[in-house]
Amino acid sequence: MSRKDGVGLIHIYCGDGKGKTTAAIGQAVRCAGGGGRVLFFQFLKGNDSGERAALKVIPGIELIDGPNDIKFVWNMTENEKNEASKYYKKKFEELCAASAGFDMLVFDEIIPALKYGFVGSDDLLRFFSDKPKGLELVLTGRDPEAGFVDAADYVTRMEKVKHPFDKGIKMRKYIEI
C-alpha cells in the first residue's frame, strides 16, 4: 500500500468515453481490498447514483455525501451556481484536511467542478504538492487542464468511439445511473 512505501501518486481518468468513474471505483475497491482506507467524494452528482449503494458496504471506503438535489450545471440559475461554488469549495477544503487519515482520496468529477469554478484550479494544484505523504489521489472528468495532466503520474484517457446516446437512447438504470 502507498503509505508503507511513502509514494503517493496522482491518477487522472479523463476523456469523452464511458468508464472514468468506474475506473476510479476500481482503484478504491483495490485499495480497500488490500486493507487501505479510502475517502470518496463525487462532485456534481447526486447521492442516488447506482455505484453509491455498492461503495457504502465496502469496509475501508468512506463515502461522503454531496447535496441531495443537484442539477446539471447548464440547468442551474446564477444563484444556484454561486451556492454550488460555495458548497464545493468548502467541501474540497474539508476533504483535503480529512485526507491525512486515508491511503486514497477519490475526487470523482472534480475536473468539471474546476471548469465551472466550483473548485479553484490553484487550490487543487497546491494540494498536489501539499497532500499527505503516501496519499494516492484519483481525479475524474472530461477535459483536464494541461497543468493537471503534467503534474499527474497516471493519465488514462477514455475515448468514445460509439455511445447509445448518439442514437437518442437515454441514460439507463444499472448502466449509466
Side-chain angles (χ1 to χ4, degrees), residues 100-174:
F102 291 86
D103 299 291
M104 178 178 285
L105 173 58
V106 177
F107 281 146
D108 185 35
E109 295 296 344
I110 193 169
I111 294 168
L114 294 164
K115 174 184 173 186
Y116 292 111
F118 295 166
V119 175
S121 293
D122 290 341
D123 295 330
L124 181 57
L125 282 172
R126 190 170 23 263
F127 183 65
F128 279 15
S129 57
D130 294 346
K131 68 181 183 59
K133 183 178 180 184
L135 179 71
E136 296 285 317
L137 180 59
V138 179
L139 315 173
T140 72
R142 283 186 174 246
D143 298 309
E145 296 174 21
F148 295 111
V149 172
D150 292 343
D153 301 291
Y154 295 90
V155 178
T156 302
R157 185 170 307 280
M158 279 43 167
E159 178 188 0
K160 180 185 87 163
V161 176
K162 290 173 72 174
H163 195 288
F165 186 77
D166 298 335
K167 295 190 269 185
I169 298 172
K170 305 275 189 231
M171 292 189 297
R172 298 167 302 134
K173 188 173 182 177
Y174 311 129

Side-chain angles (χ1 to χ4, degrees), residues 45-142:
K45 289 185 176 178
N47 295 322
D48 58 352
S49 62
E51 62 267 17
R52 293 182 64 84
L55 288 172
K56 282 181 182 179
V57 300
I58 299 173
I61 297 180
E62 185 171 329
L63 183 63
I64 305 300
D65 286 341
N68 284 324
D69 296 319
I70 187 75
K71 295 179 179 178
F72 289 115
V73 176
W74 52 87
N75 291 330
M76 290 181 182
T77 66
E78 283 306 310
N79 187 49
E80 289 169 330
K81 288 178 188 175
N82 290 334
E83 290 301 312
S85 180
K86 288 179 197 171
Y87 174 84
Y88 285 121
K89 284 178 181 171
K90 182 178 181 201
K91 186 59 75 174
F92 172 80
E93 291 172 7
E94 291 170 357
L95 292 165
C96 289
S99 68
F102 291 86
D103 299 291
M104 178 178 285
L105 173 58
V106 177
F107 281 146
D108 185 35
E109 295 296 344
I110 193 169
I111 294 168
L114 294 164
K115 174 184 173 186
Y116 292 111
F118 295 166
V119 175
S121 293
D122 290 341
D123 295 330
L124 181 57
L125 282 172
R126 190 170 23 263
F127 183 65
F128 279 15
S129 57
D130 294 346
K131 68 181 183 59
K133 183 178 180 184
L135 179 71
E136 296 285 317
L137 180 59
V138 179
L139 315 173
T140 72
R142 283 186 174 246

